[in-house]
Amino acid sequence: MSVVAHPEGSQSQKSHIYLRNQPKNSQSQKQNQQQETIPQSKRHGARNQQRHQILTKWLIQTFPHILSDKIQNNDDKPNNQINACQRGPYVLDVAGGKGELAARLSLCHSVQNIVLIDPRPADVVSCYETVVVPKLPKKWQQRHGQKKDIDKDYLKNVLAVRGFRQL
């Protein structure tokens, strides 16, 4: 490093000192310096892992009629001719993604007539087994395991009976 003073040493002008031949800080060196001063957290992204649980609780508290298993049946009409509105309330899961909300509502809370709307196909059974079941209490996990041992496709059957569809 060399120090050079301003060529004019007059009192009216300030002396300027220039530093030459000093290596410039690269982008990675700046990032390393910032990382040393800022404590690193292990978490990335927003804290919204429980958003499906919270929304499920809110839906059930706000709209308790979605839990009713009653289907208004007309005895004079066969089941395939019953109007869609007579089958009970529908829950639309718009932009449902993996289908976690639909899985929680239909498989945990026995909500009928859930329609998942998402351009990508969602595997609700896989989402339920990988995301929802590990968060359930141990005795519910054991029940799930026992039912799965008896019938491997019981979740698909439950979804079909409860009227789950994806558009």
Side-chain angles (χ1 to χ4, degrees):
M1 170 174 33
S2 60
V3 176
V4 179
H6 195 273
E8 306 225 7
S10 68
Q11 299 270 341
S12 63
Q13 294 181 344
K14 292 184 177 179
S15 296
H16 297 283
I17 299 175
Y18 298 98
L19 300 177
R20 285 193 224 162
N21 299 330
Q22 183 177 0
K24 293 182 178 181
N25 285 341
S26 68
Q27 189 72 322
S28 62
Q29 289 174 339
K30 289 179 183 179
Q31 288 175 351
N32 288 340
Q33 289 173 353
Q34 290 174 353
Q35 288 177 354
E36 291 173 2
T37 58
I38 300 171
Q40 294 293 317
S41 70
K42 294 179 183 178
R43 188 188 69 74
H44 297 285
R47 292 184 182 152
N48 58 3
Q49 291 88 2
Q50 295 182 340
R51 68 185 182 274
H52 298 101
Q53 291 173 329
I54 294 168
L55 183 58
T56 301
K57 286 180 184 178
W58 179 82
L59 282 171
I60 291 170
Q61 289 172 354
T62 307
F63 306 103
H65 61 279
I66 65 173
L67 293 176
S68 66
D69 293 335
K70 298 177 183 175
I71 296 176
Q72 297 174 358
N73 243 343
N74 292 341
D75 293 333
D76 57 342
K77 293 183 181 178
N79 274 345
N80 59 358
Q81 292 181 354
I82 296 174
N83 187 357
C85 293
Q86 293 173 333
R87 294 186 190 267
Y90 278 76
V91 176
L92 292 178
D93 186 2
V94 179
K98 293 186 292 185
E100 184 176 348
L101 180 65
R104 286 183 180 279
L105 287 171
S106 62
L107 298 171
C108 294
H109 298 283
S110 303
V111 176
Q112 304 280 328
N113 302 324
I114 295 180
V115 180
L116 175 68
I117 301 173
D118 198 89
R120 295 168 289 159
D123 189 2
V124 176
V125 173
S126 172
C127 178
Y128 178 75
E129 290 178 337
T130 58
V131 178
V132 179
V133 171
K135 296 177 185 176
L136 294 175
K138 293 293 180 193
K139 71 177 188 178
W140 291 4
Q141 290 179 17
Q142 291 171 351
R143 285 184 201 164
H144 170 71
Q146 291 169 352
K147 290 178 182 178
K148 190 173 180 183
D149 290 341
I150 295 169
D151 181 15
K152 292 182 181 180
D153 291 333
Y154 92 94
L155 289 174
K156 289 181 183 178
N157 297 336
V158 169
L159 286 173
V161 167
R162 294 188 181 153
F164 172 79
R165 291 186 295 157
Q166 181 178 3
L167 300 178

